[in-house]
Amino acid sequence: AQSVTQLGSHVSVSEGALVLLRCNYSSSVPPYLFWYVQYPNQGLQLLLKYTTGATLVKGINGFEAEFKKSETSFHLTKPSAHMSDAAEYFCAVSDRPSGSARQLTFGSGTQLTVLP
Amino acid sequence: DTEVTQTPKHLVMGMTNKKSLKCEQHMGHRAMYWYKQKAKKPPELMFVYSYEKLSINESVPSRFSPECPNSSLLNLHLHALQPEDSALYLCASSQPGSTGELFFGEGSRLTVL
């Protein structure tokens, strides 16, 4: 079984400050890990993903995340927050795929507020 | 622009109505998903179709009936819904055997009166 824990349901940062959203996972096999962003009344958009290879993953809108196997973590960071980053962020884990459709297990989400 | 298109964007229905939500993707994906999302919560998986066959049904009440007419289309038929079924319904697609990344539509906001 796999699970995802997002620490902090609400995070507030000032514009221009570092953004750090925390995600820890539990998986019986090496995982595939994802961060999605959701703006109000919209669907989920993929920010970045870790599959194999380089553990520091860069995504869209200046976000990046580092896979740390020893800490079972996949924290999301951005050096300088922008007002447009205000949204809900979901971390998700997927088992290594076989030929069948895979499921994502989502964390509970973190609402990011950016203060002017 | 999203490559998964959902219609309608908004739907208001009474408890005795029959309506349908539609989803279309043209990425050649062979897996399609319905999720239900309540406010401030993560998406909850409802159904998964893999190669046009229902592969996962997460104990969803029978008032929700999925249909996958072909590899590009996914419908969710709604009948005799309850007010607590009001939510954002998200469609997603992926390619079986890939990294598991799901591509989401923008959702259909359902209100049951």
Side-chain angles (χ1 to χ4, degrees):
Chain A
Q2 52 193 4
S3 64
V4 176
T5 301
Q6 291 184 239
L7 297 175
S9 58
H10 292 86
V11 171
S12 293
V13 300
S14 298
E15 190 174 19
L18 172 71
V19 176
L20 171 59
L21 304 183
R22 300 178 185 273
C23 173
N24 288 88
Y25 70 90
S26 171
S27 178
S28 58
V29 297
Y32 286 177
L33 294 161
F34 307 85
W35 275 100
Y36 282 87
V37 61
Q38 186 176 31
Y39 299 100
N41 296 311
Q42 294 190 23
L44 278 69
Q45 179 183 10
L46 182 71
L47 276 177
L48 48 80
K49 63 181 179 183
Y50 169 77
T51 55
T52 58
T55 56
L56 182 62
V57 179
K58 295 186 184 299
I60 63 172
N61 301 339
F63 284 93
E64 63 182 37
E66 186 171 11
F67 171 63
K68 293 187 176 181
K69 183 178 178 180
S70 61
E71 299 177 8
T72 61
S73 69
F74 191 57
H75 302 330
L76 182 71
T77 61
K78 182 174 180 177
S80 177
H82 191 272
M83 297 296 290
S84 60
D85 295 327
E88 186 85 20
Y89 291 80
F90 292 100
C91 182
V93 62
S94 171
D95 281 341
R96 293 264 176 191
S98 64
S100 61
R102 307 309 299 174
Q103 296 184 53
L104 291 183
T105 300
F106 287 96
S108 56
T110 298
Q111 178 68 48
L112 176 65
T113 300
V114 181
L115 305 170
Chain B
D1 290 338
T2 182
E3 297 183 75
V4 178
T5 303
Q6 291 188 241
T7 56
K9 292 192 183 302
H10 299 276
L11 178 63
V12 179
M13 60 186 292
M15 293 168 61
T16 58
N17 292 158
K18 287 185 179 181
K19 297 287 185 182
S20 296
L21 304 179
K22 298 184 183 302
C23 176
E24 187 171 9
Q25 58 90 12
H26 293 290
M27 294 178 283
H29 292 168
R30 300 302 299 276
M32 296 187 76
Y33 307 71
W34 280 116
Y35 283 86
K36 173 183 177 180
Q37 187 181 28
K38 301 286 267 186
K40 305 299 183 185
K41 297 292 186 182
E44 300 173 23
L45 183 64
M46 300 175 72
F47 303 104
V48 181
Y49 275 83
S50 181
Y51 298 97
E52 295 86 68
K53 295 188 186 303
L54 184 64
S55 63
I56 296 174
N57 176 341
E58 293 287 358
S59 303
V60 178
S62 60
R63 57 186 184 268
F64 294 92
S65 176
E67 178 194 20
C68 189
N70 59 55
S71 60
S72 300
L73 293 174
L74 184 66
N75 299 321
L76 186 62
H77 302 298
L78 313 171
H79 174 56
L81 295 191
Q82 304 297 310
E84 59 265 28
D85 296 321
S86 299
L88 182 67
Y89 288 84
L90 294 165
C91 175
S93 70
S94 73
Q95 186 60 14
S98 69
T99 58
E101 173 186 348
L102 268 60
F103 293 79
F104 285 85
E106 297 207 345
S108 293
R109 173 71 62 186
L110 173 66
T111 302
V112 181
L113 301 176

